[in-house]
Amino acid sequence: MVEQSLWMRKVAENPGHSAWYIERFRSMARAGDDLGGEARLVDAMAPRHAHILDAGCGPGRVGGALARAGHDVVGVDVDPMLIEAAIQDHPGPRWLVGDLAELDLPARGITAPFDAVVCAGNVMAFLAPSTRREVLGRLRAHLAPHGRAVIGFGAGRDYEFDEFAEDVAAAGLEFELRLSTWDLRPLADDSDFLVALLRPHRSGS
Ligand SMILES: C[S@@+](CC[C@H](N)C(=O)[O-])C[C@H]1O[C@@H](n2cnc3c(N)ncnc32)[C@H](O)[C@@H]1O
């Protein structure tokens, strides 16, 4: 067993948290808000009909949009209520309950490596801190050699960008690009958000 994610700790403290989160995104969708920025970036990075993992998919906003763009999407999240909402709201992808720290999709019959992994919406900051490196390693293990992971999270959430960079290297990944937004603005010294494009470490490079 791995340490419980901070998200599930929050759910244990406030059992209404998941329902609140689901309704928040449903109401934004009803209002016509743009909820597709992350998916547009991933779609631009990926080949057509790519195999894409939405890691910490929540109620399926990002993976759902990627599936509608023609990709073959698998979404994994530790919160069963959010996965239930993803199944209802975004039919198409395979939505699975699981902890990213124990991710082993081949053991669940999904053997093809992924062209892209997306981890949006501060998932990294909701992991149990003791599992961050393991989660990055699990994502790395599920990537194809040409594959890339894109991970976005905000500053001020007890996970410094420098510490993240150390964990990235320890997990066998390396930075390809550092951005500050999902619409491709570069990272600056005072950026309060990081969008990291990562690839498997190429030895000798
Ligand atoms: C703020 S939500 C973002 C959801 C989704 N990625 C989005 O952008 O709409 C953070 C998500 O991280 C998930 N999460 C946190 N720790 C996790 C873990 N160890 N394994 C899988 N999912 C996790 C939570 O369950 C939650 O759905």
Side-chain angles (χ1 to χ4, degrees), residues 79-161:
D79 185 334
M81 199 180 285
L82 300 190
I83 287 293
E84 196 47 51
I87 291 167
Q88 276 176 31
D89 295 356
H90 303 283
R94 280 165 287 181
W95 300 116
L96 304 172
V97 178
D99 194 307
L100 294 174
E102 300 176 313
L103 190 70
D104 183 1
L105 291 175
R108 300 174 77 165
I110 298 171
T111 53
F114 288 88
D115 300 303
V117 171
V118 57
C119 194
N122 286 311
V123 172
M124 289 307 299
F126 283 110
L127 301 174
S130 66
T131 66
R132 290 167 179 159
R133 245 177 222 200
E134 182 59 26
V135 168
L136 289 167
R138 296 280 74 226
L139 299 184
R140 157 79 184 80
H142 285 76
L143 270 181
H146 65 269
R148 289 179 295 171
V150 55
I151 298 180
F153 67 100
R157 292 176 167 268
D158 291 326
Y159 192 17
E160 298 302 321
F161 296 160

Side-chain angles (χ1 to χ4, degrees), residues 25-103:
F25 277 93
R26 283 181 178 161
S27 73
M28 285 193 280
R30 282 195 298 272
D33 292 353
D34 178 13
L35 301 177
E38 298 97 329
R40 288 194 292 273
L41 172 59
V42 179
D43 181 52
M45 285 166 46
R48 297 307 81 193
H49 311 293
H51 193 216
I52 299 180
L53 173 62
D54 185 354
C57 58
R61 173 178 75 87
V62 180
L66 287 166
R68 290 189 288 280
H71 299 294
D72 173 25
V73 176
V74 177
V76 176
D77 199 281
V78 72
D79 185 334
M81 199 180 285
L82 300 190
I83 287 293
E84 196 47 51
I87 291 167
Q88 276 176 31
D89 295 356
H90 303 283
R94 280 165 287 181
W95 300 116
L96 304 172
V97 178
D99 194 307
L100 294 174
E102 300 176 313
L103 190 70

